[in-house]
Amino acid sequence: QVQLVESGGGLVQPGGSLTLSCATDERTLGIYHLGWYRQAPGNQRELVATITNGVADYADSVKGRFTISLDDAKNTVFLQMTSLKPADTAVYYCNAHPITMPRGRTEFDRWGQGTQVTVSS
């Protein structure tokens, strides 16, 4: 099972930018759906962005501000975040799900440990 390690979180002012990284210990292109989720205190974990075989998709709340990308050579998936808002404050988690498994089979999900993003002046 793939292992995921996030990094890059921190404190940023509103309107600022931050890039999160998720390093994997094996090749993922063509093997896993990759995604970023976030969870704010008192809220459920929500999908932020996904990428599968180079095709990206985004939650409406981050479209035009966030970009997900995969560097296959480095086995790393990135989340570039711009125009950050206080509402983006959350713990951000990296996720991998095998392409060969139905998305509803959550027992096959792999998660990183999470990285905190705080947007505040």
Side-chain angles (χ1 to χ4, degrees):
Q1 294 274 3
V2 64
Q3 302 295 314
L4 309 172
V5 179
E6 302 103 333
S7 61
L11 173 64
V12 62
Q13 293 187 342
S17 300
L18 207 59
T19 297
L20 306 181
S21 301
C22 174
T24 69
D25 64 348
E26 62 181 78
R27 194 161 184 261
T28 57
L29 183 64
I31 300 172
Y32 293 94
H33 301 287
L34 298 170
W36 286 96
Y37 290 70
R38 66 186 181 188
Q39 187 168 18
N43 290 355
Q44 290 188 336
R45 191 171 296 188
E46 64 175 0
L47 177 66
V48 176
T50 61
I51 187 166
T52 303
N53 290 332
V55 179
D57 196 15
Y58 300 92
D60 288 343
S61 60
V62 306
K63 278 182 182 176
R65 299 189 299 122
F66 290 12
T67 302
I68 187 171
S69 62
L70 172 65
D71 186 330
D72 187 46
K74 296 181 179 179
N75 291 340
T76 302
V77 60
F78 299 97
L79 185 67
Q80 296 173 280
M81 305 183 293
T82 64
S83 301
L84 283 161
K85 307 173 182 180
D88 295 317
T89 295
V91 178
Y92 283 71
Y93 296 91
C94 185
N95 170 270
H97 184 91
I99 289 175
T100 56
M101 293 295 171
R103 294 307 294 268
R105 298 290 301 273
T106 57
E107 67 269 29
F108 292 98
D109 281 336
R110 301 298 294 177
W111 295 93
Q113 82 285 357
T115 185
Q116 176 70 46
V117 172
T118 303
V119 184
S120 175
S121 56

